[in-house]
Amino acid sequence: EAQVTQNPRYLITVTGKKLTVTCSQNMNHEYMSWYRQDPGLGLRQIYYSMNVEVTDKGDVPEGYKVSRKEKRNFPLILESPSPNQTSLYFCASSQTSLGRYNEQFFGPGTRLTVL
Amino acid sequence: DQQVKQNSPSLSVQEGRISILNCDYTNSMFDYFLWYKKYPAEGPTFLISISSIKDKNEDGRFTVFLNKSAKHLSLHIVPSQPGDSAVYFCAAFLSGSARQLTFGSGTQLTVLP
């Protein structure tokens, strides 16, 4: 089954404790992206990756890091989480094309609470 | 600065009636518009799209209308069913942009039985 998986699905942590949210896709997609969803703000892009070893900032990258060492995986790293990073996070993937839209497939989400 | 706006956070309609969800955008260069649907505890899923060169696209009970002069699009669901109750996100795509999609803030649709 074609899918995007994220782990963990739920996480409660404390300020300053480093954490990683994993994302994996089995569709051989080049493009992967991280979003956060906050009330009244919709989905905002954090980071994206056009392919292996190619990553760039989205609209709200502060406080986050990513890496893309393999095509299928795109982990999101919070080196020193703060309460304002409490949010619902989604990973997404698609074929890459700058010329036309390709449907993005989303993971089930990770709800993160930073105390 | 939100380039894609959904001004109604919520909408309630009776089962069988029409649901109309609205979306406005500011960037006239967007060339695809999409609607995603999201159920609780799940990721958004693609629903329907429209190219900027069209003014209407229909898929079963779902129709999206695009008014480029007003920079406005709408999603019509006819007839509405309780299973349509979800958050609907409007999104826009800009050719040549590596960032892919810009999303609106979402509208919670509740279809009452």
Side-chain angles (χ1 to χ4, degrees):
Chain A
E1 180 191 356
Q3 60 182 353
V4 179
T5 57
Q6 296 177 226
N7 282 292
R9 293 289 312 276
Y10 302 91
L11 179 60
I12 300 174
T13 189
V14 294
T15 298
K17 187 176 181 183
K18 180 179 179 179
L19 65 92
T20 299
V21 184
T22 64
C23 173
S24 183
Q25 50 92 7
N26 62 1
M27 294 168 278
N28 202 36
H29 286 161
E30 296 90 2
Y31 187 92
M32 296 187 74
S33 180
W34 276 101
Y35 295 88
R36 59 179 288 174
Q37 182 191 351
D38 301 290
L41 297 175
L43 290 158
R44 294 179 294 168
Q45 193 180 53
I46 303 170
Y47 268 95
Y48 63 92
S49 171
M50 298 286 283
N51 214 323
V52 176
E53 303 289 2
V54 181
T55 64
D56 208 345
K57 297 176 181 178
D59 296 315
V60 287
E62 294 78 21
Y64 305 95
K65 286 175 60 177
V66 293
S67 68
R68 188 89 182 274
K69 292 182 171 55
E70 306 165 281
K71 197 173 188 179
R72 63 183 293 126
N73 296 323
F74 190 45
L76 179 69
I77 303 156
L78 285 73
E79 295 270 0
S80 183
S82 62
N84 65 12
Q85 293 178 298
T86 293
S87 187
L88 180 57
Y89 292 86
F90 291 101
C91 180
S93 74
S94 69
Q95 296 290 354
T96 293
S97 173
L98 296 181
R100 65 176 297 274
Y101 172 74
N102 289 292
E103 179 184 346
Q104 287 202 25
F105 295 84
F106 284 82
T110 295
R111 184 162 294 280
L112 172 65
T113 301
V114 183
L115 303 175
Chain B
D1 179 30
Q2 281 190 295
Q3 297 189 68
V4 178
K5 295 181 183 179
Q6 294 175 256
N7 292 317
S8 298
S10 63
L11 173 68
S12 291
V13 298
Q14 210 67 38
E15 180 178 6
R17 306 294 289 267
I18 184 171
S19 295
I20 301 176
L21 294 90
N22 294 303
C23 178
D24 297 298
Y25 62 94
T26 56
N27 189 344
S28 58
M29 301 300 290
F30 286 135
D31 42 13
Y32 277 95
F33 300 91
L34 307 98
W35 287 92
Y36 275 77
K37 179 179 182 179
K38 184 186 174 307
Y39 292 118
E42 295 182 12
T45 54
F46 170 75
L47 183 60
I48 192 169
S49 67
I50 187 168
S51 165
S52 62
I53 63 173
K54 309 269 187 178
D55 54 20
K56 177 182 175 182
N57 187 28
E58 192 171 351
D59 184 2
R61 296 185 298 114
F62 302 91
T63 302
V64 56
F65 295 92
L66 176 62
N67 182 335
K68 286 189 70 176
S69 61
K71 296 192 181 69
H72 177 83
L73 67 155
S74 61
L75 175 68
H76 292 211
I77 306 173
V78 183
S80 301
Q81 299 173 353
D84 296 329
S85 297
V87 176
Y88 289 79
F89 289 101
C90 171
F93 172 79
L94 182 64
S95 287
S97 169
R99 294 191 181 186
Q100 298 282 306
L101 295 177
T102 301
F103 284 88
S105 54
T107 296
Q108 171 70 58
L109 173 65
T110 303
V111 180
L112 305 167

